Amino acid sequence: MSDTITLVNPATGRAFREIPRAGLAEVDAAIAGAVAAQRAWAALAPVARADALRAFARVVEAHVDELAALEVENSGHPIGSARWEASHVAQVLNYYAAAPERLIGQQIPVAGGLDVTFHEPYGVVGIIVPWNFPMTIASWGFVPALAAGNAVVLKPAELTPLTAVRLGELALEAGLPAGLFQVVTGSGSVVGQRFVSHPDVRKVVFTGSTEVGTDVAAGCARMLKPVTLELGGKSANIVFADADLERAAASAPGSVFDNAGQDCCARSRLLVERSVYDRFLELLEPAVQAWRVGDPASPDTDMGPLISASHRDTVAGFLDDADVAFRGAAPGGDGFWFAPTVVLASPGDRIAQDEVFGPVVAVLPFDDEADAIRLANDTIYGLAGSLWTENLGRAVRVARGVKSGVLSVNSHSSVRYATPFGGMKASGLGRELGPDAAEHFTETKNVFFATD
Ligand code: TXE
């Protein structure tokens, strides 16, 4: 295996940078440094850790444009999205900067003494990040982990390491102690696996494919190591006949084509009540045509290229036997472009079951509320979903009936740092973000003080 990784700009297809591919010795050295740094970090006063995270947030805020430009070049994200992602990292830091002073245990009434609980950090946390949202997904792990008193070693995806590497440098610039937050670039089978097998990494957070995530969980089980998994999705966007159809159609392209569909929350199945199915497709077509695919550096762009040539081949393979209703436009040239595509599907079709991770939506009709819930639940996944209706009772019933971790009524919101995020079924284990995330990076210790 080469000792470097070649980075390619997905909008041009051209290689632009080599980065190191760490070997086992380097990973082990990073973990050893993290063990030492964690002891000192956990011993700091809570307010000192809070101040350090706030300082880190301010440095990230000052580098939003630089981080965004790196993501445009490395990942092909549209500049507007990339700026949002970089700002989001600063917001996550600000939000969890409150956590060190609020990791409040309990005082439990017992006979003969005083009983209290403490939220103890695990020690070193290993975080494995995919290529689709390199900055934001990294921050959902490393920020609450640090806030809870842990050290972090983080492995970005081979294809998209640049923003994570820069965040590691910015942490040092902000005054975080050396060794506390380290970014190690390399392959999943070496660096990622070492997080699983190394006894000093006491918790693993993995975001990526369901297949690899299952192996990571099995490896962590052998080490009795807790693991958080954020995996694939095949989320449904359910449109009832009583919905505001114009609004639902106008927002549908963004719900699945954002980030070129390379989003675990992509609403890649569009379930439409049969009585408005034809009308809805008529409204959807102009919205898809208006979706602007092009140069990610342009502020007018809605969607950039796919991440790699091989991923484009995989996405294209889904159209081999598909019934394409209509497509949007995409540029030609050497980038990994793919036009947004709307496919008519039946429930058992591969396009209606498997995660495409590209700008392809499968449209399926349903007959009534019960049928909509049944179809929405008819995949192995359960990450996100949306439903559109003006009927409040129906909104409540369907939101409770769909087995997904994150649902949204009359909108497509999935991620807010203040609310919990994560999947059911094959979409994952555990939750990130929200008020409790820092606690998820601690274990409870119970201490009894005898008074008699
Ligand atoms: O994911 P992998 P890939 C889905 C999506 C995509 C497919 C493949 O359908 O097309 O997965 O993407 C590290 N031990 N999603 O190949 O391989 C790897 O280096 C430890 C959906 O990129 O799962 C990278 O850092 N780590 C998903 C991370 O795991 C290992 C987001 C993810 O890589 C490892 C990404 C190993 N044995 C992909 N092998 C979503 N829904 O958000 C690899 N890695």
Side-chain angles (χ1 to χ4, degrees):
M1 204 185 281
S2 146
D3 58 1
T4 61
I5 300 171
T6 304
L7 303 184
V8 174
N9 181 330
T12 63
R14 279 197 287 278
F16 68 96
R17 180 95 74 94
E18 300 283 325
I19 56 137
R21 188 190 289 276
L24 269 187
E26 286 144 296
V27 192
D28 284 1
I31 294 168
V35 169
Q38 191 270 332
R39 283 196 203 107
W41 176 244
L44 287 178
V47 68
R49 277 184 274 131
D51 280 344
L53 294 175
R54 281 189 275 264
F56 191 4
R58 283 194 296 273
V59 171
V60 172
E61 274 158 16
H63 290 81
V64 162
D65 286 342
E66 184 200 334
L67 288 163
L70 284 176
E71 210 65 277
V72 169
E73 185 175 29
N74 194 176
S75 307
H77 290 195
I79 182 68
S81 308
R83 281 204 191 100
W84 182 91
E85 290 157 26
S87 303
H88 178 83
V89 174
Q91 288 167 345
V92 172
L93 279 161
N94 277 320
Y95 183 72
Y96 289 106
E101 296 181 282
R102 289 174 174 77
L103 279 170
I104 296 164
Q106 291 176 304
Q107 179 267 311
I108 299 171
V110 291
L114 170 71
D115 193 282
V116 290
T117 63
F118 296 90
H119 294 296
E120 302 286 8
Y122 279 104
V124 177
V125 175
I127 299 178
I128 302 169
V129 180
W131 47 258
N132 58 329
F133 287 105
M135 270 187 276
T136 53
I137 291 175
S139 73
W140 304 347
F142 77 74
V143 177
L146 293 174
N150 301 280
V152 169
V153 278
L154 183 142
K155 192 199 89 62
E158 292 90 320
L159 295 173
T160 58
L162 291 185
T163 46
V165 169
R166 190 68 186 120
L167 285 170
E169 294 166 358
L170 295 177
L172 292 175
E173 248 176 65
L176 261 67
L180 187 69
F181 171 42
Q182 297 177 72
V183 177
V184 183
T185 55
S187 58
S189 56
V190 175
V191 182
Q193 267 309 309
R194 193 62 184 139
F195 294 175
V196 174
S197 67
H198 197 299
D200 286 338
V201 176
R202 292 308 316 149
K203 174 167 177 155
V204 173
V205 177
F206 172 89
T207 306
S209 62
T210 296
E211 197 187 356
V212 175
T214 305
D215 283 347
V216 165
C220 286
R222 279 192 291 277
M223 299 292 292
L224 293 178
K225 203 177 274 198
V227 61
T228 301
L229 302 173
E230 299 290 356
L231 309 174
K234 192 72 191 175
S235 299
N237 177 12
I238 310 170
V239 181
F240 286 95
D242 65 19
D244 180 337
L245 295 183
E246 280 75 16
R247 269 185 67 209
S251 68
S255 77
V256 56
F257 302 146
D258 191 51
N259 204 29
Q262 304 165 125
D263 181 340
C264 46
C265 296
R267 272 49 165 189
S268 55
R269 289 182 302 148
L270 182 47
L271 312 183
V272 185
E273 192 159 357
R274 203 177 295 276
S275 59
V276 294
Y277 180 83
D278 290 339
R279 171 75 186 130
F280 192 79
L281 284 175
E282 276 169 26
L283 292 167
L284 181 63
E285 185 162 3
V288 171
Q289 306 297 354
W291 189 250
R292 291 159 302 192
V293 183
D295 179 5
S298 158
D300 296 330
T301 293
D302 294 316
M303 176 180 131
L306 290 169
I307 192 67
S308 67
S310 78
H311 187 54
R312 184 177 54 184
D313 291 346
T314 306
V315 173
F318 277 91
L319 298 189
D320 286 347
D321 49 4
D323 179 4
V324 174
F326 47 85
R327 304 190 74 180
D334 294 331
F336 311 130
W337 304 104
F338 200 89
T341 304
V342 177
V343 167
L344 308 183
S346 302
D349 295 350
R350 188 164 82 99
I351 194 82
Q353 293 291 332
D354 293 358
E355 183 174 50
V356 178
F357 229 51
V360 182
V361 64
V363 191
L364 297 94
F366 67 84
D367 293 315
D368 56 21
E369 197 178 303
D371 196 30
I373 294 173
R374 186 187 59 76
L375 269 181
N377 290 333
D378 180 30
T379 79
I380 61 168
Y381 297 111
L383 186 49
S386 308
L387 57 117
W388 293 79
T389 176
E390 295 295 302
N391 177 327
L392 179 60
R394 166 171 286 161
V396 174
R397 287 190 300 272
V398 177
R400 296 303 303 273
V402 175
K403 287 196 189 314
S404 286
V406 193
L407 285 158
S408 162
V409 178
N410 294 332
S411 82
H412 295 295
S413 98
S414 297
V415 173
R416 291 188 173 86
Y417 57 79
T419 59
F421 174 77
M424 296 179 177
K425 295 154 69 183
S427 290
L429 274 183
R431 294 291 177 270
E432 300 190 288
L433 299 175
D436 304 327
E439 251 180 61
H440 297 162
F441 288 96
T442 66
E443 10 192 21
T444 301
K445 178 184 285 174
N446 188 74
V447 183
F448 172 73
F449 298 84
T451 49
D452 298 339

